[in-house]
């Protein structure tokens, strides 16, 4: 078993945390910023942060992407897809089946 060295970090708000990667997200800040409702509230912090970083903060914007495009975003894993699919379906939406250029957001 290989031990991973975790580095001590301090976020902009002064929270101390340890990470083994270069990911700058602070677990304490992530908990404080977690939405209480909406589709983003159903996701893990890495998945939520990845979508927000890409400018995908509404179901309408999410519906412009294919499942494959969403999975290609760093921080999104296959476990997020059923939650995202379900949220889209609740609003009568779905993932884009055709794909295409989503840079115009």
């Amino acid at each position: 078993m290989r031990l991973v060295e975790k580095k001590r970090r301090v976020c902009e708000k002064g929270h101390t945390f340890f990470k083994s990667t270069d990911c700058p997200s602070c677990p304490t800040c992530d908990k404080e910023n977690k939405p209480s409702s909406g589709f983003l509230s159903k996701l893990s912090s890495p998945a939520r942060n990845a979508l927000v970083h890409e400018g995908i903060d509404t179901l309408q914007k999410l519906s412009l992407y294919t499942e494959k495009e969403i999975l290609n975003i760093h921080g999104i894993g296959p476990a997020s897809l059923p939650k995202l699919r379900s949220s889209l379906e609740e609003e009568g939406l779905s993932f884009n089946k055709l794909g295409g250029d989503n840079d115009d957001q």
Side-chain angles (χ1 to χ4, degrees):
M1 185 171 147
R2 184 174 161 220
L3 293 177
V4 178
E5 181 183 340
K6 292 187 176 187
K7 296 177 185 168
R8 181 180 183 269
R9 299 179 188 245
V10 179
C11 77
E12 294 174 356
K13 292 185 177 180
H15 304 127
T16 301
F17 60 100
F18 293 86
K19 286 267 181 137
S20 60
T21 66
D22 290 333
C23 177
S25 72
C26 166
T28 304
C29 290
D30 286 344
K31 287 179 187 173
E32 290 175 356
N33 295 329
K34 182 177 180 178
S36 58
S37 63
F39 81 103
L40 291 173
S41 69
K42 300 174 183 177
L43 301 174
S44 66
S45 292
R48 183 173 57 253
N49 292 339
L51 289 177
V52 170
H53 179 74
E54 293 292 321
I56 304 170
D57 55 359
T58 68
L59 288 171
Q60 289 72 23
K61 289 179 184 177
L62 179 64
S63 70
L64 299 174
Y65 292 81
T66 65
E67 290 185 15
K68 184 176 179 180
E69 289 170 327
I70 292 299
L71 283 174
N72 283 332
I73 298 172
H74 178 75
I76 304 287
S80 298
L81 282 183
K83 296 172 187 172
L84 293 172
R85 199 178 300 117
S86 172
S87 293
L88 285 166
E89 289 171 0
E90 287 173 11
E91 296 298 317
L93 299 168
S94 65
F95 282 107
N96 186 337
K97 303 289 189 244
L98 304 175
D101 184 14
N102 294 310
D103 294 334
D104 305 336
Q105 319 269 317

